Amino acid sequence: MTDTDIEKGLSPEEAAKRAAEGKVNGTGEIKTKSIGQIVRENTLTFFNFLNIVLAVLVLIFGEIKNAMFIGVIFCNTGIGIFQEIRAKRTIDRLTLISAPKAHVIRGGQELEIPNSEIVEGDLVMFRTGYQASADCLLVSGECEVNESLITGESDPIYKKPGDKILSGSFAVSGECRAVAVGLGAESFANKITSSAKYVKRTESKMMNAINTILKGISILIIPLMLILMYNGIFVSGQTVNRAVVSTVAAIIGMIPEGLVLLTSIVLAVSSIRLAQHKTLVQDMYCIETLARVDVLCLDKTGTITEGSMQVVETLKLDESCDTDTYMTALACALNDTNPTFCAVKEHWNDESKLTADMTVPFSSARKWSGAHFPETGSLIMGAGEFILGSSYDSIRETAEKFSAGGRRVILLARSDNEFGDKALPQGIKPIALVAIADKIRAEAPDTLRYFAEQGVDIKIISGDNPMTVSCVAQKAGVTNADKYIDASAVEHIGEVVDDYTIFGRVTPPQKLELVKALRAKGHTVGMTGDGVNDVLALKEADVSVAMQSGSEAARNVSNLVLLDSNFASMPKVVAEGRRSINNVERSASLFLSKTTYSLLLALLFVIIQLPFLFEPIQMTLINALCIGAPSFLLALQPNKELIRGSFISNVLRRAIPNGVSAVIALSAGIICGHTLGFTVEQLSTVSAFILASVSFVIVLLACHPMRPWKIGMLVLLIGAFLCGHIFLEEFFGFVPFTPDMVLTTAIITVSAAVLTIVLNIITVTIADRITEKHRNKA
């Protein structure tokens, strides 16, 4: 089994030799991308390059004021770098071993050494509270270890010589020596760490849709820019300076650069709001993802239950005995730390009048504990089969009925005789049965009911007995909780994922397989957990939620951490996600309305072979007051509507009619301007006012339902635009209005407002009918 001396351990010379050979625990550190790589990847992008080129062209041929649009690009890049560096640091922190030191025997001496210095064959000491930092083979003594964070099994596991103690587990009682056999990357804990140490690509349908739109625009931008430049210089006879500036104005109008910034800010605000509800958001995009989840995988412990047990009922078997007095006496006399005894001690927490002169602590091998009292004799509590032996048959039927509903039943028994060398006394008589069950969180039923009403399918994945988990789930109100399966008897758990609600005895790899199977079926999967055994599944899920009371590893890999470990916070996160998605959709329609009319305008000016009428600074003013400011304000309003349809279709059905009406209005303005003999400067001013007016109408439509603060916002924005014309006329490239210019602008603005409203009504009606038709077919 091992060549290590189980009394003296390795000699210092042997330990040094093995360390030199590389047979050492080490840190198990896995490198992620460097900060330099992150900065380069976020900086060297096509859109950054394009905007920098446009800014340089303007600075060379135009004025500094026309390059102000570059500020948004710096903000977008900075946010992207910040988010990825934060993700890197979270992954770098990931560790499943929290014990800073290990206790080893070398040369017959007990030494305290760093975990990283354990070598293969080291004789490791384990006492209560010690954590295994390497996989070890127990060679002498015995102990109980808590593997709940590793395997999901909530009960302490008894370990005897020949058993393996897994890295990451804790000794809760006893004392033993074990030889280190699984070190570094080969240890159980580090294998999980290695599998989880990767930066998962953010899955955001909203951002994916925005990126798809940006990619589509990028295909058109370069050829359009060259055509506009050619049209301005060689067809319209503009100077190179004017042609470059007008081309840049056309191109920056097509790029919805503020949309990415808007999305980041909205999600950042949501993160702050959730922090007020004791929810830490470690990945902003998970707020959106959780709002789209249709399958939620829960661990029993820490989510449905509190992670502790409680006494729920007592059944007397001997009416002549005082059960409460006896249980109180045992609770005061014993110092066990297992969940069952903790429940007993919490229930019978009074001072005892009886004093024990001998105690026998609980052992997983014995399955009972007890104490001797001079006044009453020996009192024993534990598993009835082990206490009564063959006599247990006399109460077996009663005990089995009493355990209905997945309750754990312990027997209280008494004897007039004393314990013999920690062995059961003679003449044991049963006194009472005590039923103990998991504590169900008070808020769990309401929270589970909420998700059921929202159409979210619940799956309970646990390392505990499936029947016990099923009973707990039924009490908490989980739908189809009677459909359970023992995962240890299933070869490929992913094949039965649709058939069951409760999965018990699930190993960490099976949890991962189950989540992968659900995602492969097209589900958006949420996962909650608190232990090391949950880490792989948490990392794989579309959105993961950890409890603050759980392991550091689970917290590090999760998108959300419930700081009060309160599952009831989940509906608040879902509501916040809905607010974010619905509001960003509304605001995105403003940005893409601008992109639509900018694209159509560029094509229009190429077709009619006229110079582009706008300067970049004018587009910056319109973008800021008619698109940027209102979109940010509207994105922060309350919104609890259900998420319907895809992001792209919802946005485009608003943006396209808005863009079309803007182009029709500008076309009418150009025709009228040429008919009335406007100069290029006058036509540019009129066109800017028409475009701004149509944009304000688009904002007005986006403000539905109207509120007083929205009316105030519109008044302020329109006032700011007029002030820009009155007080900064030259700076923004405007000229004074003539009566003809005022009349033309007014008539076209009113007509465009009516057209915009009509087109929106028609588009929304058609889109709703198509959606309803598809829904009926489905």
Side-chain angles (χ1 to χ4, degrees):
M1 184 169 58
T2 174
D3 58 356
T4 302
D5 188 321
I6 64 172
E7 294 296 332
K8 296 182 179 181
L10 299 177
S11 68
E13 293 76 21
E14 286 176 313
K17 181 183 177 183
R18 296 188 184 193
E21 294 172 350
K23 299 176 180 179
V24 64
N25 204 27
T27 61
E29 184 177 0
I30 296 174
K31 296 293 183 183
T32 54
K33 284 191 292 186
S34 67
I35 292 178
Q37 286 177 301
I38 292 172
V39 171
R40 284 195 299 273
E41 289 178 6
N42 281 274
T43 304
L44 305 178
T45 64
F46 172 76
F47 271 94
N48 284 358
F49 172 75
L50 178 63
N51 278 278
I52 289 172
V53 169
L54 294 176
V56 169
L57 287 174
V58 169
L59 291 173
I60 293 173
F61 296 101
E63 303 173 26
I64 294 177
K65 67 180 183 180
N66 283 316
M68 292 175 65
F69 63 88
I70 201 68
V72 176
I73 304 305
F74 290 135
C75 291
N76 284 341
T77 302
I79 288 174
I81 291 171
F82 171 76
Q83 288 174 340
E84 196 162 346
I85 288 177
R86 188 173 69 168
K88 165 192 164 56
R89 288 177 175 168
T90 297
I91 297 302
D92 288 345
R93 287 200 311 266
L94 177 57
T95 176
L96 307 188
I97 307 299
S98 58
K101 300 287 184 180
H103 294 258
V104 300
I105 306 294
R106 288 182 181 173
Q109 300 292 317
E110 182 173 339
L111 305 174
E112 185 179 71
I113 64 172
N115 285 332
S116 58
E117 295 181 10
I118 297 175
V119 299
E120 184 180 289
D122 251 330
L123 189 61
V124 185
M125 286 293 302
F126 287 101
R127 300 185 183 93
T128 302
Y130 286 15
Q131 184 183 21
S133 50
D135 292 346
C136 299
L137 194 66
L138 199 152
V139 293
S140 67
E142 61 179 34
C143 69
E144 290 181 298
V145 298
N146 185 329
E147 293 183 350
S148 61
L149 295 180
I150 299 294
T151 64
E153 172 61 62
S154 57
D155 291 330
I157 307 299
Y158 171 67
K159 300 289 183 179
K160 61 184 184 301
D163 292 339
K164 182 176 279 189
I165 298 176
L166 297 175
S167 52
S169 58
F170 289 87
V172 294
S173 68
E175 182 175 316
C176 66
R177 296 182 179 189
V179 176
V181 293
L183 304 173
E186 296 304 312
S187 70
F188 183 86
N190 279 332
K191 283 179 180 178
I192 295 179
T193 307
S194 300
S195 301
K197 274 203 171 185
Y198 61 91
V199 179
K200 184 173 67 177
R201 188 173 71 88
T202 299
E203 289 294 337
S204 167
K205 290 186 178 180
M206 190 163 59
M207 283 307 301
N208 289 343
I210 291 171
N211 288 332
T212 299
I213 293 167
L214 293 177
K215 288 176 183 176
I217 295 168
S218 67
I219 297 172
L220 301 172
I221 281 179
I222 299 298
L224 264 177
M225 186 168 68
L226 296 175
I227 293 170
L228 284 169
M229 196 85 73
Y230 176 85
N231 182 67
I233 297 173
F234 298 105
V235 178
S236 303
Q238 289 180 306
T239 63
V240 174
N241 178 70
R242 175 64 187 174
V244 169
V245 172
S246 61
T247 298
V248 170
I251 297 301
I252 64 172
M254 298 177 201
I255 304 173
E257 68 279 349
L259 184 53
V260 178
L261 179 61
L262 167 73
T263 305
S264 298
I265 289 178
V266 168
L267 293 176
V269 170
S270 292
S271 300
I272 295 170
R273 286 179 171 175
L274 288 173
Q276 295 172 352
H277 294 292
K278 299 189 184 304
T279 301
L280 173 64
V281 179
Q282 301 195 126
D283 172 16
M284 292 196 299
Y285 296 108
C286 73
I287 299 171
E288 172 208 348
T289 309
L290 187 58
R292 299 183 186 274
V293 160
D294 58 358
V295 176
L296 186 60
C297 299
L298 306 177
D299 186 15
K300 172 180 71 70
T301 306
T303 51
I304 297 178
T305 66
E306 294 184 3
S308 58
M309 307 192 80
Q310 63 182 343
V311 174
V312 292
E313 190 178 355
T314 302
L315 177 65
K316 280 190 175 185
L317 301 176
D318 185 344
E319 292 293 338
S320 65
C321 295
D322 188 344
T323 302
D324 290 334
T325 298
Y326 289 168
M327 291 302 295
T328 301
L330 283 173
C332 292
L334 298 171
N335 293 308
D336 296 328
T337 57
N338 59 72
T340 300
F341 183 76
C342 289
V344 168
K345 197 169 183 65
E346 181 184 4
H347 188 77
W348 285 284
N349 54 12
D350 294 332
E351 289 292 327
S352 175
K353 297 177 181 179
L354 304 178
T355 302
D357 56 10
M358 179 183 181
T359 61
V360 181
F362 180 81
S363 163
S364 291
R366 291 188 295 267
K367 298 292 185 184
W368 57 266
S369 59
H372 180 267
F373 302 89
E375 302 91 338
T376 62
S378 297
L379 297 177
I380 311 106
M381 67 176 178
E385 303 97 314
F386 286 79
I387 296 174
L388 297 179
S390 59
S391 300
Y392 181 68
D393 289 339
S394 62
I395 65 166
R396 183 184 298 277
E397 185 177 348
T398 302
E400 288 178 352
K401 288 181 180 179
F402 196 55
S403 67
R407 304 190 301 187
R408 181 179 302 176
V409 174
I410 62 173
L411 173 69
L412 171 64
R414 193 188 75 82
S415 171
D416 292 328
N417 303 307
E418 296 185 3
F419 297 96
D421 191 23
K422 296 188 177 180
L424 286 168
Q426 297 296 316
I428 297 176
K429 295 180 180 179
I431 294 174
L433 295 174
V434 178
I436 296 174
D438 286 287
K439 277 187 182 178
I440 295 176
R441 288 182 173 274
E443 66 278 1
D446 288 339
T447 305
L448 291 167
R449 191 179 306 111
Y450 168 83
F451 281 110
E453 291 170 353
Q454 302 303 312
V456 178
D457 191 17
I458 299 293
K459 303 285 184 184
I460 309 296
I461 309 174
S462 175
D464 287 337
N465 183 291
M467 185 180 294
T468 301
V469 179
S470 172
C471 293
V472 170
Q474 289 182 57
K475 291 177 183 177
V478 175
T479 305
N480 296 322
D482 57 327
K483 296 181 178 179
Y484 62 87
I485 187 172
D486 187 334
S488 63
V490 181
E491 186 173 354
H492 298 292
I493 197 168
E495 296 176 356
V496 296
V497 70
D498 290 330
D499 302 327
Y500 299 95
T501 299
I502 310 299
F503 298 84
R505 303 293 188 204
V506 184
T507 64
Q510 284 181 315
K511 288 190 177 186
L512 175 62
E513 182 187 351
L514 195 146
V515 171
K516 282 184 174 180
L518 288 168
R519 294 188 69 198
K521 292 176 180 292
H523 295 292
T524 301
V525 181
M527 172 80 189
T528 71
D530 59 358
V532 173
N533 60 307
D534 300 316
V535 166
L536 297 178
L538 286 169
K539 190 76 179 192
E540 179 64 24
D542 293 292
V543 59
S544 50
V545 184
M547 304 294 165
Q548 176 65 20
S549 58
S551 70
E552 181 184 0
R555 295 196 299 271
N556 282 342
V557 301
S558 294
N559 306 118
L560 290 163
V561 179
L562 303 182
L563 298 178
D564 57 357
S565 300
N566 190 346
F567 184 50
S569 300
M570 295 284 282
K572 298 185 182 73
V573 183
V574 173
E576 192 61 43
R578 286 178 179 168
R579 187 195 65 79
S580 300
I581 298 171
N582 288 323
N583 286 344
V584 169
E585 278 186 1
R586 188 188 299 263
S587 297
S589 67
L590 300 181
F591 281 98
L592 294 182
S593 295
K594 179 198 73 168
T595 298
T596 303
Y597 66 61
S598 296
L599 183 61
L600 294 176
L601 280 177
L603 294 172
L604 174 66
F605 283 109
V606 168
I607 293 170
I608 63 178
Q609 298 186 345
L610 285 177
F612 196 78
L613 295 174
F614 302 101
E615 293 185 22
I617 190 63
Q618 291 173 339
M619 294 301 294
T620 299
L621 177 66
I622 293 171
N623 290 346
L625 296 179
C626 306
I627 307 295
S631 67
F632 278 83
L633 291 172
L634 291 174
L636 300 178
Q637 65 180 322
N639 194 324
K640 295 182 180 179
E641 296 176 12
L642 289 173
I643 299 170
R644 295 184 174 89
S646 70
F647 184 88
I648 290 181
S649 63
N650 290 342
V651 170
L652 292 182
R653 75 177 187 178
R654 297 188 185 106
I656 291 176
N658 293 340
V660 169
S661 63
V663 171
I664 291 174
L666 283 169
S667 300
I670 291 170
I671 293 171
C672 291
H674 278 284
T675 303
L676 297 172
F678 290 169
T679 65
V680 172
E681 291 75 15
Q682 289 176 324
L683 191 55
S684 175
T685 300
V686 168
S687 297
F689 267 75
I690 291 173
L691 185 57
S693 300
V694 174
S695 298
F696 282 127
V697 172
I698 294 170
V699 174
L700 178 65
L701 293 173
C703 285
H704 180 77
M706 192 58 68
R707 296 286 185 271
W709 71 267
K710 295 178 183 178
I711 296 173
M713 175 191 71
L714 278 170
V715 171
L716 285 174
L717 293 174
I718 293 171
F721 185 83
L722 293 175
C723 287
H725 174 257
I726 296 169
F727 300 109
L728 297 170
E729 185 178 81
E730 186 176 345
F731 178 80
F732 287 110
F734 295 138
V735 296
F737 269 82
T738 64
D740 285 342
M741 291 169 66
V742 172
L743 185 61
T744 300
T745 303
I747 292 174
I748 293 177
T749 296
V750 173
S751 302
V754 174
L755 177 63
T756 303
I757 294 170
V758 171
L759 285 178
N760 269 275
I761 293 173
I762 292 173
T763 306
V764 170
T765 302
I766 293 173
D768 287 344
R769 286 181 179 177
I770 292 174
T771 302
E772 186 64 30
K773 187 176 180 181
H774 284 298
R775 188 181 294 121
N776 290 336
K777 283 184 178 180

